[in-house]
Amino acid sequence: MIFEADLHVRQKLIPMFEKIDSTIILSCLQGHMGTAWVDDLENPTVAQITVGIFVFFAGNADTKAAEKLLNNLPDFTLAIVDSEEWKNRIETVHVGSIEKFPRYRFEKNLENLNKKHIQSLISTLPDGYEIKRIDKTIAQDPSFHELSEDFVSQFDSIDDFINRGIGYAIINNGQVVSAATSFSIYDDGIEIEVASHPDYRRQGLATIIAATLILHCLDSRKYPNWDGANEESVKLAEKIGYKLQQSYDTYFIDCQK
């Protein structure tokens, strides 16, 4: 059997997940969002953390409970693990329904994020465009949600996002054309989500709006963590000032197959 872990049990999982460098894990272990599952509530030996489509596994991969956790997934999953044993288990359990690809981690070093440089990026906003902090009106606008399903999806509601999250949007002709938000939150910062409308890409808008959110976080003494989904995301992060740390394997699992 597997059991959902409350905040008390999640504290026991901190050593188990310490090798996976992800603020999304902290979001769950600190009780901000997501769910955690274990094989034993008193002495867990294998565990799963789920925040949206991101799913992390740790502990003993060679158990029946591990297989049960590997089938306890959203319809579409990005699975991240810290060992070859877990990678082999994922590839065995989900053979035929996985795609392996790299994501990219960056150094978590505030010294890399120079406020003057970031402010200079924001100043390049073209005429006719306006930056606004995301309020309830913007968060309910269809043009905002069309950019990304993940801007506010990890929060309990739009009101919850307004109360606990943070985000900024670029408006043009009354429409949200680019936005950056807190995909998830943890005690000391956020995980960044950035997206732009296809018709407005390659105009520097993603850089401008990401820089706006990052500057807000720095002024609020919150760390704006960046995790790159592809090489384009890496280039954007490096333009802002982040330093690439490493690539790491990620598994896309299509549980509908």
Side-chain angles (χ1 to χ4, degrees):
M1 293 182 65
I2 58 174
F3 307 90
E4 186 169 357
D6 61 15
L7 184 57
H8 173 70
V9 177
R10 292 183 195 187
Q11 299 304 303
K12 301 178 182 180
L13 305 181
I14 294 174
M16 195 179 294
F17 284 94
E18 64 183 0
K19 291 184 180 179
I20 306 179
D21 182 13
S22 171
T23 65
I24 298 176
I25 289 176
L26 297 179
S27 296
C28 181
L29 294 182
Q30 293 170 355
H32 295 286
M33 49 190 44
T35 58
W37 297 83
V38 296
D39 62 331
D40 188 295
L41 293 174
E42 293 298 324
N43 297 293
T45 64
V46 60
Q48 168 191 347
I49 285 174
T50 300
V51 180
I53 65 171
F54 289 94
V55 184
F56 305 84
F57 298 95
N60 187 354
D62 190 27
T63 63
K64 291 183 178 179
E67 183 171 348
K68 289 182 179 179
L69 291 176
L70 283 169
N71 284 293
N72 181 41
L73 302 176
D75 288 342
F76 300 99
T77 295
L78 295 181
I80 299 165
V81 295
D82 68 344
S83 70
E84 292 302 316
E85 289 79 9
W86 273 107
K87 292 178 184 181
N88 292 336
R89 199 72 196 273
I90 288 173
E91 293 173 8
T92 300
V93 172
H94 292 288
V95 61
S97 60
I98 59 173
E99 178 185 349
K100 185 178 179 180
F101 65 96
R103 286 182 67 92
Y104 303 88
R105 291 191 181 103
F106 295 83
E107 296 176 4
K108 295 177 177 60
N109 186 349
L110 283 171
E111 293 182 0
N112 295 333
L113 301 176
N114 182 280
K115 285 188 178 183
K116 288 185 178 180
H117 170 66
I118 294 170
Q119 184 64 58
S120 72
L121 297 174
I122 299 172
S123 68
T124 63
L125 184 71
D127 292 339
Y129 293 78
E130 183 180 6
I131 295 174
K132 289 186 177 181
R133 181 166 175 172
I134 295 171
D135 57 14
K136 194 169 183 178
T137 299
I138 294 175
Q140 292 176 325
D141 192 312
S143 65
F144 172 70
H145 291 280
E146 287 173 3
L147 300 185
S148 174
E149 298 178 353
D150 292 322
F151 279 145
V152 301
S153 60
Q154 305 320 308
F155 295 84
D156 295 335
S157 64
I158 288 177
D159 285 337
D160 183 41
F161 170 79
I162 298 301
N163 290 333
R164 296 196 295 143
I166 182 66
Y168 286 87
I170 295 177
I171 311 296
N172 179 250
N173 294 324
Q175 300 293 308
V176 179
V177 298
S178 187
T181 71
S182 49
F183 168 82
S184 58
I185 59 174
Y186 64 106
D187 287 353
D188 299 320
I190 69 168
E191 183 78 26
I192 296 174
E193 173 77 9
V194 184
S196 297
H197 190 282
D199 293 343
Y200 291 83
R201 291 174 185 166
R202 302 192 181 282
Q203 299 180 30
L205 299 183
T207 301
I208 293 168
I209 204 61
T212 302
L213 176 61
I214 290 164
L215 190 62
H216 173 100
C217 290
L218 297 178
D219 289 341
S220 303
R221 297 185 178 181
K222 293 288 187 180
Y223 187 78
N225 192 64
W226 193 292
D227 191 271
N230 49 48
E231 292 184 2
E232 184 178 49
S233 178
V234 171
K235 291 178 181 178
L236 175 53
E238 292 179 332
K239 183 177 181 180
I240 293 170
Y242 291 93
K243 304 297 183 183
L244 183 63
Q245 178 179 336
Q246 63 180 168
S247 64
Y248 65 94
D249 291 333
T250 304
Y251 291 90
F252 171 71
I253 305 174
D254 185 352
C255 295
Q256 294 186 332
K257 284 189 175 181

